[in-house]
Amino acid sequence: MDRRQQKTRAAIFAALSTLLARKSYSKITVQEIIDTANVGRTTFYAHFETKDDLLKALCEGLFSHIISSAADCTHTHGLYSDESAPESVFCHLLQHLQENEHNILELLSCESSELFLRYFKDSLNELIRDQVVSQNRRNNTDIPQDFLVHHISGSFVEMVLWWIKGQMKQTPEELDRYFRAVIEPIL
């Protein structure tokens, strides 16, 4: 993809994010996205077949960046200039969320959040399967791995929502400690 195409996609993503901050996803029209992004209809459809495809691409980009950053402890993103990276992938992930790149916390807690939460949970499933359940499982080996992965990712998403609703009073390190205290016994 050339720079012009990247710039156009970025403008369309930014337009959708801006509109989502003001109204629910179901009430946003393609025309509003086009107008806000200042692109033509043909240009929009050259990049995305539908508004849902745009939403999916936006979520995949946001979550894959955050999830891959959390999984890669060498990717510090400026978070650990004075200290070492955290041992826990959950703490690392929470720190990225706290940075609130691309207004992801607003997207997770907005009126249209059910779609974002589903994509977030789906992204988390892979991270949890690879980084947590596969490597740390010692207990409850009779419980299907897929069940544990979905249970842990669902719990993490609910914890993030609780954190957002509580105005993020806890540090990522505190939340990580709480979360691991709850999930480690089942692993």
Side-chain angles (χ1 to χ4, degrees):
M1 187 178 322
D2 68 27
R3 270 192 250 166
R4 187 177 46 83
Q5 291 171 319
Q6 290 173 351
K7 211 172 181 181
T8 299
R9 283 178 73 93
I12 294 170
F13 287 147
L16 179 60
S17 294
T18 298
L19 292 166
L20 283 167
R22 290 186 272 182
K23 62 199 300 188
S24 73
Y25 175 75
S26 62
K27 294 185 177 165
I28 297 171
T29 65
V30 170
Q31 187 61 51
E32 289 174 303
I33 296 167
I34 290 168
D35 292 344
T36 305
N38 197 25
V39 299
R41 184 170 289 279
T42 305
T43 301
F44 176 87
Y45 286 112
H47 290 272
F48 306 100
E49 287 185 31
T50 65
K51 180 177 80 165
D52 289 344
D53 288 339
L54 167 59
L55 177 67
K56 185 175 182 186
L58 175 70
C59 291
E60 286 173 349
L62 291 173
F63 297 134
S64 70
H65 173 74
I66 288 174
I67 299 294
S68 65
S69 296
D72 179 9
C73 291
T74 63
H75 176 82
T76 59
H77 218 315
L79 290 170
Y80 315 109
S81 54
D82 298 332
E83 55 192 81
S84 61
E87 290 180 32
S88 166
V89 70
F90 295 115
C91 188
H92 193 151
L93 181 54
L94 290 163
Q95 288 169 331
H96 277 279
L97 290 172
Q98 186 181 45
E99 280 189 329
N100 201 17
E101 248 177 41
H102 307 290
N103 299 319
I104 197 162
L105 295 177
E106 285 81 6
L107 295 174
L108 287 171
S109 61
C110 74
E111 188 180 325
S112 307
S113 65
E114 67 280 346
L115 296 165
F116 292 98
L117 292 172
R118 184 178 40 169
Y119 288 125
F120 184 40
K121 190 171 178 279
D122 289 347
S123 298
L124 278 171
N125 286 341
E126 184 178 338
L127 176 74
I128 290 168
R129 184 178 302 107
D130 297 343
Q131 298 284 318
V132 180
V133 175
S134 297
Q135 294 180 12
N136 299 314
R137 189 168 178 190
R138 289 173 193 74
N139 297 329
N140 298 312
T141 54
D142 57 329
I143 297 174
Q145 178 175 325
D146 199 41
F147 176 84
L148 284 175
V149 167
H150 285 274
H151 177 73
I152 294 168
S153 64
S155 294
F156 188 84
V157 168
E158 288 300 321
M159 179 190 66
V160 169
L161 293 175
W162 173 80
W163 188 40
I164 293 168
K165 287 176 185 165
Q167 300 174 338
M168 300 172 67
K169 292 176 184 158
Q170 298 77 14
T171 66
E173 293 78 13
E174 287 174 298
L175 278 181
D176 174 57
R177 195 175 69 250
Y178 302 162
F179 189 67
R180 287 191 299 144
V182 171
I183 67 158
E184 284 176 357
I186 65 171
L187 293 172

